[in-house]
Amino acid sequence: MNILLKSVTIVNGSTKNLHLKEKDILIKNGLIEAIETTIEPNGKTRVIEINNLHVSLGWFDSGVSFGEPGYEERETIENGLLTAAKSGFTDVILNTSSHPTPDSASDIVYLKNAGKDQLTNLHPLGNLTVRGEGEVLAELYDMKNAGALGFYDYKHPMTNANLLKIALQYAQNFDGMVFSFPLDKSISGKGIVNEGITSTKLGLKGIPALAEELQVARDLFVLEYTGGKLFIPTISTANSVKLIADAKKKGLQVSCSVAAHNLVITDTALEDFDTKYKVMPPLRTAADIKALHKGVKNGTIDFVTSDHTPLNIELKHVEFDNANFGTIGLESIFGMLNQLFNVEETVELLTKGRSIFGMEEPQLEVGQEANLSLFTTNDTYKFSQGHIFSSSKNSIAIGKQITGKVVGAIANNQIVLNK
């Protein structure tokens, strides 16, 4: 398949000679054949010419959830990867949120096979403990050999500090990445939103920032004792940023992510009791958002994730107390980030970090495999259900004004476009 991208602006800071230059890009059989000022189509070539079209290296999300196996009504792997491709993502790491959860090598093989031959590459995680119950370590070494990029009991905090210690020590033997969700359940209790002025006014049970920060501090103390590689997904408080920054200064191998919505929306959005705003970790305060922005800018926070979590309608259209936590986000993350940062910064956030997980970083150069995201930067619109590709529609971004529109992606000798 031959593809010619006409008059595209290249956003790629690692290639200074091409960065922010308008070029034509010719792709033949999945490889970048030429990057020139003007290229004329020859033979059977699909020409893509769209006003204000920009191109960057393919985007990467460090944590998404689908439904399969077990919750196919929320999202199949096939449609989840198609959604990712339409949203500009060429690589996604799959959380352990299925039923049953993946805690063996055969489970990892199943997930990789289910995701093969798609444009977007699926990289599964395996459970840290058997069935995600936090009691016995799962088959970490076998899962790593089968292709698991890390080990995570999705959204379930590791309450047993000694088991975390053992996991970090054991995983060093094969360069394994251990995930630990930042929540101390003994502090959070039955809380469902951020503890503060809004929760008090609304009469909703609160989760104090302390619940996150105690867990982060404990995990970092354990990491300092054991060594190894620790990933803390979706931090949300100012003090968590400070704790991780201090740990990095000590030379600890710790990395972390923040969900895009935790960079944009404060807990004041809860005043209408709209369950689309019920997420975990909860929406925090303006002061937390300010610190998270700073952490993203200075590199303390390694990834901004969509934290894409499809949920069928009956899990959200109930009383706030009874609704499930979670929002989809693949379709809206680019536009939301593009409201906060300039285009170069947004693209940097969406492309960096594969090497933390031992993945190969793509290159935007002649002779390399085409692994590209396509987008515009000057479209401003209100996000609606019509912009959602997922089977589930539980998006926190509905009704939000966002800037920039994803056109599609190219990878694995395939192209997926939205228009």
Side-chain angles (χ1 to χ4, degrees):
M1 180 173 63
N2 296 343
I3 301 168
L4 178 59
L5 305 177
K6 293 290 292 180
S7 302
V8 295
T9 300
I10 297 172
V11 184
N12 183 27
S14 63
T15 53
K16 301 297 184 184
N17 60 316
L18 297 175
H19 184 48
L20 301 183
K21 301 290 195 304
E22 189 174 287
K23 299 286 185 180
D24 289 359
I25 301 177
L26 178 62
I27 299 164
K28 285 189 176 182
N29 299 319
L31 297 178
I32 299 175
E33 177 82 6
I35 303 175
E36 304 289 349
T37 302
T38 302
I39 300 173
E40 295 301 324
N42 186 17
K44 290 187 176 180
T45 300
R46 183 173 181 179
V47 178
I48 311 297
E49 189 167 11
I50 298 171
N51 183 48
N52 188 237
L53 186 61
H54 287 59
V55 64
S56 75
L57 291 173
W59 299 343
F60 165 57
D61 196 321
S62 63
V64 305
S65 298
F66 299 143
E68 185 181 354
Y71 301 117
E72 285 83 358
E73 73 280 6
R74 300 179 188 177
E75 192 80 276
T76 63
I77 288 174
E78 181 179 8
N79 193 67
L81 292 175
L82 180 59
T83 296
K86 288 182 175 181
S87 303
F89 290 87
T90 58
D91 290 277
V92 295
I93 292 182
L94 183 65
N95 289 319
T96 57
S97 54
S98 58
H99 181 72
T101 55
D103 58 10
S104 68
S106 60
D107 293 332
I108 301 301
V109 171
Y110 167 82
L111 291 171
K112 288 184 73 69
N113 285 338
K116 70 181 181 180
D117 300 327
Q118 304 295 318
L119 184 151
T120 301
N121 300 306
L122 182 147
H123 308 276
L125 298 174
N127 270 129
L128 183 59
T129 65
V130 174
R131 293 184 294 276
E133 294 173 349
E135 295 179 1
V136 180
L137 287 184
E139 301 172 3
L140 307 189
Y141 179 70
D142 290 346
M143 287 192 289
K144 171 78 172 180
N145 286 341
L149 287 193
F151 311 105
Y152 182 27
D153 293 346
Y154 176 67
K155 302 280 187 182
H156 291 285
M158 177 64 77
T159 57
N160 186 334
N162 187 56
L163 195 57
L164 177 65
K165 174 180 75 75
I166 293 169
L168 284 165
Q169 290 172 326
Y170 175 53
Q172 289 177 64
N173 294 304
F174 47 88
D175 198 32
M177 175 79 80
V178 173
F179 284 56
S180 181
F181 185 67
L183 184 69
D184 186 320
K185 295 286 284 185
S186 66
I187 299 291
S188 66
K190 296 182 179 180
I192 55 175
V193 298
N194 179 59
E195 182 177 273
I197 293 172
T198 300
S199 66
T200 302
K201 184 164 63 174
L202 299 179
L204 296 171
K205 296 183 180 71
I207 301 173
L210 179 67
E212 175 173 307
E213 294 154 6
L214 275 179
Q215 191 84 351
V216 170
R218 184 209 71 172
D219 291 352
L220 293 174
F221 270 118
V222 174
L223 178 66
E224 189 170 6
Y225 177 80
T226 61
K229 294 165 66 175
L230 177 68
F231 189 88
I232 303 177
T234 58
I235 65 171
S236 66
T237 78
N239 206 33
S240 290
V241 177
K242 182 179 184 302
L243 289 165
I244 292 169
D246 291 344
K248 288 189 171 187
K249 288 175 184 175
K250 291 180 181 179
L252 301 184
Q253 289 192 79
V254 58
S255 48
C256 66
S257 65
V258 62
H261 47 264
N262 283 107
L263 289 171
V264 179
I265 308 169
T266 68
D267 61 352
T268 58
L270 299 167
E271 292 182 353
D272 291 331
F273 293 93
D274 191 331
T275 59
K276 73 183 180 184
Y277 296 115
K278 187 175 181 181
V279 290
M280 179 59 69
L283 301 175
R284 302 287 189 182
T285 67
D288 291 308
I289 284 181
K290 183 178 179 181
L292 291 166
H293 284 185
K294 185 176 179 181
V296 168
K297 287 265 198 176
N298 65 27
T300 298
I301 297 174
D302 301 274
F303 302 98
V304 179
T305 175
S306 67
D307 202 22
H308 184 81
T309 308
L311 295 169
N312 33 306
I313 191 168
E314 61 268 22
L315 298 177
K316 279 292 190 180
H317 284 209
V318 293
E319 299 86 352
F320 196 93
D321 277 358
N322 297 326
N324 277 31
F325 294 102
T327 175
I328 58 173
L330 282 169
E331 300 96 324
S332 57
I333 184 173
F334 172 69
M336 292 177 78
L337 292 180
N338 212 25
Q339 293 275 73
L340 299 176
F341 308 103
N342 64 44
V343 172
E344 293 171 68
E345 291 170 326
T346 296
V347 167
E348 171 70 12
L349 291 173
L350 292 173
T351 54
K352 72 173 187 174
R354 287 175 171 90
S355 59
I356 290 175
F357 293 98
M359 300 164 61
E360 186 175 344
E361 299 274 5
Q363 303 295 322
L364 208 166
E365 296 175 358
V366 173
Q368 298 292 319
E369 288 189 16
N371 187 310
L372 307 172
S373 298
L374 310 175
F375 55 96
T376 65
T377 60
N378 57 7
D379 294 288
T380 300
Y381 60 99
K382 186 174 287 188
F383 191 83
S384 67
Q385 284 206 10
H387 299 112
I388 294 174
F389 312 118
S390 308
S391 301
S392 296
K393 309 301 178 186
N394 56 305
S395 173
I396 202 170
I398 289 176
K400 297 286 183 293
Q401 198 78 9
I402 61 178
T403 300
K405 190 171 284 187
V406 179
V407 174
I410 299 172
N412 294 325
N413 200 20
Q414 300 177 54
I415 181 170
V416 169
L417 299 180
N418 300 327
K419 58 182 179 179

